[in-house]
Amino acid sequence: MKGYTKELLLSREDIQKRVRELALEISRDYQGTEPILIGILNGVIFFFADLVRNLTIPIKLDFIRAASYGAGTTSSGTIRLSKDVEIDIRGEHVIIVEDIVDTGLTLSKIKDNLEKRGPESVKICVLIDKRERRETQVNIDYCGFHIEEGFIVGYGLDFNEQYRHLADIFVLREKGPSD
Ligand code: IMP
């Protein structure tokens, strides 16, 4: 089995500060409304929990579960919705909340799917926008951090279901012969 090392990319303090800023921005933009925030499980759990608790407006929340990755770090290109939204979103303002956008396939498919249900608006909020492998154009309305490349773990993000529980975010690297 290959070995991996992890290097700190974003500390818990950096993350919490940026999440509070995003929550403030969303609260200002949606003042006077009650948007539905839809988190994409599982990776979003900590980001979602921190984001919604820093909002100063009333909201409703729900979750979708999409599986686009099997074991490993590369996209399979197919997305399966294994849990759907339970709240009726017709006529409502929706904000999709995701941990990371990579190829863009997951978010564009979910956005198209939700738009067909007649919401008033659909926007996207991601913690991390990773640009290296974008395959489809997807408009990100709220973004925590941009990174160019690398596979990252922690704060909900996993590699083969490991590392999700870490409070900071790390870049995962395969160990070389000198490590
Ligand atoms: P996309 O459809 O390629 O944009 O993939 C989005 C999903 O891929 C995310 O919700 C993650 O589950 C997973 N993903 C993409 N890049 C990473 C990464 O660097 N670390 C952990 N998961 C990732």
Side-chain angles (χ1 to χ4, degrees):
M1 199 185 133
K2 285 175 196 156
Y4 293 89
T5 56
K6 53 185 179 45
E7 271 169 36
L8 184 67
L9 179 69
L10 297 165
S11 71
R12 61 196 75 189
E13 292 80 16
D14 294 338
I15 298 167
Q16 295 303 327
K17 179 169 175 282
R18 186 69 190 120
V19 172
R20 284 196 296 273
E21 289 169 359
L22 284 175
L24 195 68
E25 210 181 322
I26 292 172
S27 301
R28 280 198 201 120
D29 292 355
Y30 285 84
Q31 196 66 49
T33 70
E34 188 173 347
I36 301 175
L37 274 77
I38 299 177
I40 306 180
L41 295 170
N42 287 338
V44 84
I45 49 169
F46 302 118
F47 175 42
F48 195 86
D50 290 338
L51 183 74
V52 299
R53 287 180 299 168
N54 279 288
L55 293 171
T56 57
I57 51 165
I59 62 149
K60 289 180 186 149
L61 59 88
D62 205 344
F63 296 94
I64 274 182
R65 178 137 197 216
S68 64
Y69 279 66
T73 61
T74 50
S75 175
S76 64
T78 53
I79 287 116
R80 191 168 50 86
L81 270 196
S82 55
K83 186 217 169 291
D84 204 347
V85 180
E86 287 163 43
I87 298 180
D88 184 6
I89 63 167
R90 182 167 299 277
E92 305 287 348
H93 292 290
V94 169
I95 306 172
I96 305 170
V97 186
E98 169 71 309
D99 48 7
I100 184 165
V101 51
D102 183 11
T103 63
L105 293 170
T106 308
L107 274 173
S108 65
K109 182 166 173 173
I110 289 174
K111 190 174 184 195
D112 285 354
N113 181 313
L114 295 179
E115 273 172 343
K116 289 189 186 124
R117 306 178 196 193
E120 177 70 25
S121 67
V122 181
K123 289 199 175 177
I124 293 178
C125 172
V126 298
L127 180 66
I128 290 160
D129 180 358
K130 183 166 75 171
R131 294 161 166 170
E132 118 191 81
R133 298 193 298 193
R134 192 63 40 86
E135 282 178 32
T136 181
Q137 203 272 328
V138 50
N139 196 41
I140 308 297
D141 303 283
Y142 302 97
C143 173
F145 301 95
H146 294 283
I147 63 167
E148 283 307 319
E149 57 178 6
F151 196 83
I152 58 174
V153 294
Y155 196 59
L157 291 157
D158 77 306
F159 173 62
N160 289 346
E161 295 304 327
Q162 288 175 284
Y163 309 107
R164 281 199 203 277
H165 63 290
L166 303 174
D168 312 287
I169 292 180
F170 300 84
V171 180
L172 201 65
R173 298 192 202 287
E174 259 180 55
K175 272 188 186 157
S178 58
D179 293 311

